Amino acid sequence: MELFLQTLLDGVLIGGTLVVIAAGFSLCFGVMDVIDFAVGEWVMLGAYTAFWFQEFTGGDPMAALPLFFALFFAGGYLLQPLIQRVTAGKRPHPVLMGLLFTFGLATVAKGSALYFWGFNFRSIRTWLSGQNVQIGITVPSLRFAGFLFGVFATLTFMAFLYWTRTGRAIRATAQDRVTAGLLGVDVRRISALVYAVYAGLTGMAGVLIGALFSIHAGMGLRYTTLAFFVVVLAGMGFVPGVIPAALFMGLLQSLTAVYLGSRYVGLALFGVFYLTLVVAPKGLFGRGS
Amino acid sequence: MRPLRLPALGAFLLLTLLAPFALNPFWLRILTEILLWIGLAVSWNIIGGYTGYLNFGHGAFFGVGAYVTAIAMVHAGLPFGAGLLLGGLASAALAAFIGLPTLRLRGAYFAIATWAFAEMIRQVALLLEVTGGAFGMRVPGLLDPNFFYYVMWAAVAGTCAITYGLMERSRMGYKLRAIREQEEAAETLGVATTRLKLAAFALSATFPGVLGGIYGYWTTYIHPDSVLSGSVTDQMVVMALLGGLGTAVGPILGAVLLQAVSRFLWLQMEQSVLYIVFIGLVICVVVQLLPDGLVGFWARLRRPQRGGNGAA
């Protein structure tokens, strides 16, 4: 029973950290019709930024999260027009071009990280690292903080989406780009804003993931995979679905690892992933676009 | 110009057939690799270029072909030729099997589903005993570079010829392009879309199956991270895109150019990771500036005036 509870908790904590990445990613698809292959590379860059921040200032990266958000927000805002350029207008194969362009960006990011920072594994320390709280089962403090952060950031993000004017404009754009434009929404600005917020959130999540696990140039692909998984399960473009989908993914991971063996985690994830797409392409809730 | 094309092609084929007499094993190896990538890029173009279904898991068929051929040779003691046949058949059968549910998905969904499927296959290869799991698989070696060059040559020439015949010179090609442009419209015009898509998918999977079988026997060692790695698919897609999607020459051009440049960089630089950055930049620049590839770029150069109102 204790093992089972511990496994459940681990799963929930794994899922919580990923919620925020998936939420931004899902919205990006909804608004821009772009599947961002570079999602994991934002995580990787976030983790490295936190590492170099700690190297040079000696400060705790957890305390500087808003700074990282601002940094990645700016990066995303500057990059978005290039992505927009290949998917909008009369260009052929917009889906392929969007996928390929972000794949190209991801490759550049990964290659540059390898070139500049090498194959070494690095890590960062925060004030919560290595602490645990025992309540019958073990709650690792840092993971719990990551979970809280993920849920908190996602809820803030959703509040912004559903309770503000800009949020309404974003949702309108996601529903119908052309009509939203006709009704006076500056679709270009909204798209750039969405991508910037998504990059900011993902970079920030990268800081936490860097604190939780080791940092290396190839870490991105894992998070790209997991983000795809959660978003497909939630229904592409349906943001509220990512919270249960991410928790489900976390549970699937931890339950498989404990009861079948960690060798089977990959197969379980991709098996469920593929089957979901084939059986219910609109996601578990049937609300995807 | 046109009457010269056939003799030029013949001369080119003859030249490549004579290559082993002029080159040392090192350069022959690089040439064999270039051939392999031509075959893979051309096969991806059938489903991704002509049909418009972006298969992001095409590398799975390469890996399945490699493993089936290797298993047939190592565990069943079959000769190479029989193994190759089995590899191609297994890939085609797998494609037909997963094609039916997967080809119902469109656009980005199909792309992601095939990608997930390919990863699933890689995970299975890592777990199974018959594939050697995470230890990889050793294939009995045959140290004859000329043999592999000619086998690869024949397989790739066959791939290109069959693809050209079916896609450019038969009704099937037109029908597939109709599906790419608008599937519903094609269906109302009487195109049996499901059957055709399935046929195109199985056909496009057969070639990488055979090429994978040759590759495994040639390199004598296969591993899920080599033959089933996602980068196999990535390279095919990039090569087809660079040359020009849905054209006969495009993927060939893209494969030759990209593989030659990447090998050149690899020889020049100790730091091979810069090559990754280079590939990434190529993709970004091509997508931004040449969305219809080198072939489209060339066509635009040749008739710059006519693009004014009609073709724009």
Side-chain angles (χ1 to χ4, degrees), chain B residues 164-297:
Chain B
Y164 182 77
L166 285 177
M167 295 297 129
E168 300 279 339
R169 286 281 173 271
S170 86
R171 297 172 68 95
M172 184 181 180
Y174 290 108
K175 288 178 180 166
L176 289 178
R177 265 172 281 192
I179 292 177
R180 177 184 72 195
E181 297 310 328
Q182 205 181 355
E183 197 160 337
E184 286 86 359
E187 205 159 355
T188 51
L189 288 173
V191 176
T193 52
T194 308
R195 222 183 55 213
L196 263 168
K197 284 190 294 183
L198 208 59
F201 194 47
L203 179 75
S204 79
T206 313
F207 301 123
V210 172
L211 294 169
I214 302 173
Y215 178 84
Y217 192 30
W218 179 44
T219 55
T220 71
Y221 177 71
I222 54 177
H223 187 274
D225 289 342
S226 69
V227 290
L228 283 166
S229 146
S231 63
V232 177
T233 308
D234 302 341
Q235 284 210 48
M236 291 186 229
V237 180
V238 172
M239 284 165 173
L241 171 81
L242 174 65
L245 294 173
T247 61
V249 197
I252 303 178
L253 205 64
V256 172
L257 211 65
L258 205 68
Q259 186 63 19
V261 170
S262 86
R263 274 302 171 222
F264 174 76
L265 286 178
W266 175 72
L267 288 173
Q268 289 295 309
M269 287 183 274
E270 289 293 307
Q271 278 279 9
S272 64
V273 291
L274 258 191
Y275 155 71
I276 304 175
V277 182
F278 166 77
I279 292 280
L281 284 175
V282 168
I283 300 170
C284 291
V285 170
V286 169
V287 173
Q288 285 287 340
L289 303 176
L290 306 170
D292 44 5
L294 293 171
V295 170
F297 180 63

Side-chain angles (χ1 to χ4, degrees), chain B residues 11-139:
Chain B
F12 175 74
L13 288 181
L14 194 68
L15 211 65
T16 53
L17 267 179
L18 294 175
F21 298 101
L23 297 175
N24 65 29
F26 177 77
W27 289 106
L28 197 63
R29 189 177 174 85
I30 289 184
L31 205 58
T32 314
E33 269 174 6
I34 292 180
L35 280 178
L36 169 70
W37 284 108
I38 293 177
L40 291 176
V42 166
S43 79
W44 187 83
N45 195 36
I46 298 175
I47 188 77
Y50 289 105
T51 321
Y53 274 76
L54 311 168
N55 185 350
F56 270 65
H58 208 51
F61 301 118
F62 179 72
V64 166
Y67 269 109
V68 169
T69 307
I71 289 166
M73 287 172 72
V74 174
H75 296 293
L78 290 174
F80 173 57
L84 216 51
L85 191 70
L86 280 179
L89 285 177
S91 288
L94 184 68
F97 179 69
I98 68 146
L100 212 49
T102 318
L103 282 163
R104 288 184 312 152
L105 304 168
R106 302 255 175 106
Y109 287 92
F110 181 79
I112 298 183
T114 45
W115 179 69
F117 173 76
E119 273 302 313
M120 209 166 83
I121 294 283
R122 194 174 74 89
Q123 297 291 339
V124 170
L126 278 167
L127 288 171
L128 285 181
E129 209 152 291
V130 70
T131 57
F135 296 107
M137 201 174 167
R138 211 159 270 295
V139 189

Side-chain angles (χ1 to χ4, degrees), chain A residues 18-278:
Chain A
L18 281 158
V19 168
V20 63
I21 303 174
F25 181 76
S26 180
L27 192 68
C28 249
F29 177 79
V31 170
M32 294 164 57
D33 275 329
V34 167
I35 298 177
D36 189 7
F37 234 105
V39 53
E41 309 309 323
W42 289 111
V43 174
M44 184 268 293
L45 290 175
Y48 267 108
T49 313
F51 173 78
W52 291 113
F53 174 82
Q54 188 159 57
E55 282 288 286
F56 286 118
T57 67
D60 190 328
M62 290 274 271
L65 278 178
L67 176 73
F68 295 119
F69 179 80
L71 194 67
F72 281 91
F73 183 93
Y77 199 83
L78 292 176
L79 197 63
Q80 196 274 341
L82 281 177
I83 303 176
Q84 189 69 49
R85 195 171 167 268
V86 300
T87 54
K90 286 183 192 157
R91 292 193 150 218
H93 318 294
V95 175
L96 174 66
M97 292 302 162
L99 264 175
L100 276 174
F101 185 68
T102 55
F103 174 73
L105 290 178
T107 313
V108 171
K110 191 196 303 175
S112 308
L114 273 175
Y115 183 70
F116 290 114
W117 304 320
F119 291 87
N120 304 342
F121 283 68
R122 298 165 204 268
S123 57
I124 40 182
R125 280 195 66 77
T126 66
W127 57 282
L128 283 171
S129 296
Q131 293 182 38
N132 292 320
V133 177
Q134 300 286 344
I135 46 163
I137 50 178
T138 310
V139 184
S141 304
L142 190 59
R143 277 194 185 213
F144 192 67
F147 170 81
L148 284 183
F149 162 79
V151 172
F152 173 73
T154 310
L155 290 179
T156 313
F157 180 55
M158 303 258 296
F160 165 70
L161 265 187
Y162 284 85
W163 291 341
T164 67
R165 260 184 87 79
T166 317
R168 189 183 301 167
I170 293 175
R171 284 183 294 130
T173 313
Q175 260 179 20
D176 191 329
R177 241 187 129 71
V178 177
T179 313
L182 286 173
L183 292 172
V185 174
D186 186 345
V187 173
R188 279 171 179 271
R189 200 183 61 90
I190 288 292
S191 303
L193 181 72
V194 165
Y195 196 78
V197 170
Y198 147 76
L201 287 175
T202 312
M204 221 161 42
V207 175
L208 281 160
I209 287 169
L212 279 170
F213 309 102
S214 54
I215 304 167
H216 57 103
M219 66 190 278
L221 186 64
R222 178 182 161 77
Y223 296 98
T224 304
T225 311
L226 294 178
F228 273 26
F229 180 90
V230 170
V231 170
V232 163
L233 233 61
M236 305 237 284
F238 180 56
V239 179
V242 299
I243 295 181
L247 296 182
F248 175 79
M249 188 276 304
L251 288 176
L252 179 69
Q253 246 182 341
S254 65
L255 288 172
T256 314
V258 170
Y259 292 103
L260 283 176
S262 52
R263 300 186 327 134
Y264 293 93
V265 171
L267 182 62
L269 280 181
F270 284 104
V272 171
F273 188 0
Y274 178 69
L275 283 179
T276 309
L277 269 167
V278 169

